Amino acid sequence: MRVCVGTTVHHPEDARITHRQIRALLDAGHEVTFVAPFTHCNVTPRQGIRAVDVPRAVGLHRGKALRAAASALRTAVRDADLLVVHDIELLLALPRKRPPTVWDVHEDTIGALNAKTYLPGPVRSVLPPLIRAVESRAERRLHLILAEESYRERFPGAHPVVPNHTYVPRTPPAPPGDHRIVYVGQISLARGAAEMVEIARRLRPYGIRLDLIGPADAAVRPMLRDAQRAGLLDWFGYVPNNHALRMAEGALAGLSLLHDVPNYRESTPTKVIEYMARGIPVVTTPLPGAASLVGRVDCGTIVPFGEVGAVADAVVQCVLRLRADAERRAAMGARGYVEALNHYHWPAVAGEFVTLLERWAQAPSPVAALPDRSPAGRLANLSGQNV
């Protein structure tokens, strides 16, 4: 099977796209063409794929990237048996002549709008109806994969869930240490950037450092650079997921301080599962999915939402208690690791994912392309594309 995978928004080393899905396809003997922003992200394409470089869609400047992606996809799908796209924007750039097409739904698009600080307020207020129309049109014309069970509420049809599980080492990792805490993932205000800087400041007198491993939104980069220059923390920037998790091993705790916003409220943060897989005690805010998992397994501590100082104080107290009790943190790490290995190991679902795509490649898309007078349909027609 020849599969074309496309994104202009996500990093070419995105854990879900590259390290899970594309790797599963390659391991199963399939061919992959990957349309992604390699140059923009300074990434050398991995061996075994046919790479097509496109600009990255960033902030409000997405027109050039969308046009380039539309052109690249038209060429890339000529010999493809299946097309898989990972951005809602690419639904407006799909080739008219294309194989069966899959949209992998990664996030709650409407819920994420408040976190997109580059969008003017009036634009954010008018986007939800258009997004709903685009999603509805895509559901009628494409195959959908959902990354979260909670996403089912957005779509009236039945669609398979391919969860954001991770690779769990077969050998148990080393017990948590006592001199550093970590955060892995995208860094933003809504993900607790300000709280983490304050936590690093308050932990410095105790000789505990914070490692931030991941790219940061433009709004928080000056704050992180200042904190690093002051010696409060180490910010490593983007690191491929598999390397980032190896760097995190041995940490005293892993932070997941997401705010109570719609895009996070119904999801279980992947980073929580990743910390568990590496034997790291979790410190998380009480989002329902994270709190339920951490509480049930007893593999970490739940801290309340609140203003920056209050959250930082709660986390610092938790970290100091963990440092003082090596047996407790080792037990937490071990429980999290066993739970991740038994229930969140990506290879356990990778085969089902590949089988699903193989079946869809042999069948047409859900419905034939028919005229669509919805707002999304009119927008697609104006852009010359066909969702």
Side-chain angles (χ1 to χ4, degrees):
M1 179 174 68
R2 295 181 295 268
V3 183
C4 177
V5 178
T7 182
T8 60
V9 173
H10 297 279
H11 196 285
E13 288 283 341
D14 180 86
R16 178 175 175 86
I17 299 172
T18 301
H19 293 282
R20 295 173 195 142
Q21 296 186 0
I22 289 180
R23 177 174 166 181
L25 288 166
L26 295 175
D27 288 347
H30 298 301
E31 299 177 22
V32 175
T33 297
F34 191 15
V35 178
F38 294 98
T39 298
H40 182 279
C41 297
N42 194 29
V43 169
T44 300
R46 62 173 295 170
Q47 291 186 340
I49 68 167
R50 183 171 70 179
V52 179
D53 190 32
V54 292
R56 192 176 194 186
V58 179
L60 293 173
H61 307 292
R62 295 172 180 250
K64 179 181 178 182
L66 195 61
R67 290 190 296 271
S71 176
L73 289 175
R74 282 197 298 271
T75 301
V77 300
R78 287 174 183 169
D79 62 349
D81 301 304
L82 191 74
L83 171 61
V84 182
V85 295
H86 293 269
D87 318 333
I88 192 169
E89 292 94 332
L90 286 186
L91 300 181
L92 301 178
L94 297 179
R96 289 185 180 275
K97 295 182 179 180
R98 62 179 187 267
T101 301
V102 181
W103 175 31
D104 186 16
V105 184
H106 284 227
E107 68 174 0
D108 178 351
T109 313
I110 295 174
L113 289 177
N114 286 336
K116 299 184 186 299
T117 54
Y118 56 83
L119 287 175
V123 173
R124 259 178 277 173
S125 66
V126 302
L127 279 178
L130 179 59
I131 291 171
R132 291 190 189 96
V134 171
E135 291 184 339
S136 176
R137 181 179 170 94
E139 183 177 26
R140 289 185 288 108
R141 295 168 179 255
L142 309 177
H143 299 289
L144 268 59
I145 288 175
L146 311 181
E148 291 273 355
E149 287 284 346
S150 62
Y151 294 170
R152 292 188 188 277
E153 298 176 5
R154 292 160 51 192
F155 302 97
H159 305 288
V161 174
V162 176
N164 261 331
H165 291 178
T166 188
Y167 288 95
V168 184
R170 288 294 181 182
T171 303
D178 63 358
H179 65 282
R180 68 186 179 104
I181 59 176
V182 298
Y183 171 90
V184 176
Q186 182 76 26
I187 307 168
S188 67
L189 288 173
R191 292 176 173 92
E195 291 89 335
M196 290 190 289
V197 169
E198 183 60 24
I199 288 164
R201 188 186 321 278
R202 297 186 185 198
L203 285 176
R204 184 180 184 182
Y206 298 96
I208 300 174
R209 291 187 61 81
L210 169 62
D211 287 349
L212 298 178
I213 309 171
D217 288 2
V220 301
R221 288 173 201 157
M223 176 197 314
L224 300 183
R225 293 191 191 104
D226 289 346
Q228 182 158 262
R229 292 191 190 104
L232 300 180
L233 52 81
D234 289 316
W235 175 34
F236 295 91
Y238 179 81
V239 177
N241 184 255
N242 54 338
H243 299 304
L245 296 179
R246 283 199 293 270
M247 290 170 62
E249 284 188 12
L252 169 62
L255 303 182
S256 179
L257 304 180
L258 280 66
H259 292 185
D260 185 20
V261 297
N263 191 34
Y264 305 144
R265 196 169 294 140
E266 301 303 324
S267 301
T268 299
T270 303
K271 62 176 55 61
V272 169
I273 297 170
E274 290 173 335
Y275 296 148
M276 292 166 58
R278 300 292 166 151
I280 303 169
V282 180
V283 178
T284 179
T285 45
L287 293 169
S292 174
L293 176 59
V294 170
R296 175 175 59 82
V297 180
D298 191 15
C299 60
T301 304
I302 301 163
V303 296
F305 297 118
E307 58 89 22
V308 170
V311 174
D313 183 58
V315 173
V316 168
Q317 292 180 33
C318 164
V319 168
L320 293 178
R321 286 195 297 269
L322 283 174
R323 188 175 72 165
D325 193 339
E327 183 176 345
R328 178 168 177 256
R329 67 175 184 265
M332 282 184 170
R335 285 191 292 266
Y337 167 76
V338 171
E339 178 72 11
L341 182 62
N342 289 339
H343 300 289
Y344 297 96
H345 190 34
W346 165 252
V349 297
E352 297 175 9
F353 163 74
V354 172
T355 299
L356 179 66
L357 295 195
E358 290 171 342
R359 186 172 75 245
W360 281 345
Q362 301 301 317
S365 292
V367 298
L370 299 174
D372 189 340
R373 304 305 179 189
S374 70
R378 292 196 295 272
L379 179 61
N381 292 333
L382 286 172
S383 66
Q385 308 302 328
N386 182 30
V387 176

